[in-house]
């Protein structure tokens, strides 16, 4: 009947609308943090690793190393001890050392370009030529064996490394070889604060962070 045919068309339209809506939602999730969700859900530190419990709203830190230092989930006591005791330095190593959200990635890109590498299109390409040794595991970490073997290279191009570490342990300026170079990046504190806020809100959107998650209630828009 005509009414039955119209009902079938209406149902098909509804199904098509729901499918389109689902695709849009998936696209938004991909943009807002599903890749970061996959990135972090594979991060499972050893059971012996001390964990960080935040007292003041959302935090990007999940572990505590050296008993007092809050760090991301992919940085462990074992990795820092290895860097301090067994990491092989090479003449001319360049360390891009920063507090988070001060311009680390930009500086890594600049160092890579100065070293003659092609522009990197993403984090994977960036870390290929300027890895983050403090990252113990995840798809973006660099194997210890690869870090160690790169010290044997006879290339005139210096190695580049990223670090968010304090002036202590493997990044103690008085313990680094005299031939190493450290690029320390700093930025206006208010801009760092603003960048860190948006970093949490955007990159970690899958935590469903809202302004109510922060201490003292709602913050003024930044």
């Amino acid at each position: 009947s005509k009414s039955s045919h119209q009902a079938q068309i209406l149902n098909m339209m509804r199904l098509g609308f729901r499918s389109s809506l689902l695709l849009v939602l998936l696209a938004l999730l991909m943009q807002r943090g599903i890749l970061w969700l996959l990135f972090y859900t594979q991060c499972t530190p050893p059971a012996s690793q001390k964990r960080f419990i935040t007292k003041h709203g959302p935090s990007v830190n999940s572990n505590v190393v050296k008993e007092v230092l809050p760090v991301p989930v992919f940085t462990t006591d074992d990795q820092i001890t290895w860097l301090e005791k067994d990491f092989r330095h090479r003449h001319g190593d360049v360390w891009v050392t920063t507090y988070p959200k001060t311009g680390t990635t930009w500086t890594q890109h600049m160092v890579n370009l100065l070293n003659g590498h092609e522009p990197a299109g993403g984090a994977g390409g960036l870390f290929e030529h300027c890895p983050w040794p403090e990252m113990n595991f995840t798809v973006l970490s660099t194997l210890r064996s690869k870090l160690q073997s790169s010290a044997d290279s006879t290339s005139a191009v210096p190695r580049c490394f990223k670090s968010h570490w304090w002036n202590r342990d493997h990044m103690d300026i008085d313990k680094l070889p005299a031939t190493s170079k450290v690029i320390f990046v700093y930025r206006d504190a208010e801009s760092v604060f603003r960048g860190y806020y948006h970093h949490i809100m955007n990159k970690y959107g899958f935590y469903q962070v809202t302004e109510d998650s922060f201490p003292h209630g709602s913050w003024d828009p930044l």
Side-chain angles (χ1 to χ4, degrees):
S1 66
K2 184 177 179 180
S3 60
S4 177
H5 181 65
Q6 290 177 337
Q8 289 179 353
I9 294 176
L10 183 60
N11 287 334
M12 291 178 64
M13 290 177 64
R14 287 173 177 170
L15 180 61
F17 174 77
R18 290 172 181 172
S19 298
S20 299
L21 182 60
L22 179 60
L23 289 174
V24 171
L25 289 175
L26 286 174
L28 289 174
L29 283 173
M30 288 294 290
Q31 181 181 7
R32 293 287 295 175
I34 192 65
L35 291 179
W36 285 91
L37 175 60
L38 294 174
F39 174 77
Y40 274 94
T41 51
Q42 68 163 308
C43 299
T44 305
S48 59
Q49 177 61 52
K50 186 176 180 180
R51 306 306 299 274
F52 174 73
I53 306 299
T54 179
K55 298 180 181 179
H56 303 290
S59 173
V60 297
N61 297 315
S62 299
N63 292 343
V64 174
V65 302
K66 300 292 182 176
E67 297 298 328
V68 294
L69 305 176
V71 296
V73 66
F74 47 71
T75 300
T76 61
D77 276 299
D78 177 65
Q79 186 72 0
I80 299 306
T81 298
W82 176 79
L83 286 169
E84 186 176 11
K85 296 183 177 180
D86 298 318
F87 177 79
R88 296 179 60 196
H89 295 272
R90 191 182 117 192
H91 183 92
D93 282 345
V94 177
W95 291 86
V96 177
T97 308
T98 69
Y99 186 84
K101 314 315 297 178
T102 59
T104 317
T105 301
W106 283 10
T107 309
Q108 286 177 272
H109 279 295
M110 287 188 282
V111 172
N112 283 346
L113 291 174
L114 289 171
N115 280 339
H117 301 300
E118 292 294 323
L126 177 65
F127 283 5
E128 176 67 24
H129 300 297
C130 194
W132 188 2
E134 291 145 18
M135 184 181 286
N136 194 6
F137 44 90
T138 76
V139 294
L140 295 178
S141 62
T142 304
L143 294 175
R144 292 181 183 180
S145 57
K146 185 174 182 179
L147 292 172
Q148 297 294 64
S149 63
S150 66
D152 295 321
S153 173
T154 58
S155 172
V157 177
R159 297 188 300 178
C160 172
F161 299 107
K162 164 185 173 176
S163 176
H164 283 323
W165 211 249
W166 295 259
N167 180 18
R168 53 169 292 172
D169 308 314
H170 63 289
M171 288 306 298
D172 188 331
I173 195 66
D174 294 322
K175 295 180 181 179
L176 283 173
T179 58
S180 295
K181 299 177 178 64
V182 176
I183 301 175
F184 181 72
V185 184
Y186 64 95
R187 183 184 180 191
D188 172 68
E190 183 178 348
S191 298
V192 174
F193 175 83
R194 181 181 292 110
Y196 217 112
Y197 172 87
H198 289 294
H199 179 67
I200 293 176
M201 295 295 287
N202 294 330
K203 295 296 185 182
Y204 304 90
F206 54 82
Y207 283 144
Q208 298 182 341
V209 175
T210 67
E211 288 189 342
D212 293 334
S213 304
F214 292 86
H216 313 302
S218 177
W219 287 2
D220 292 334
L222 297 177

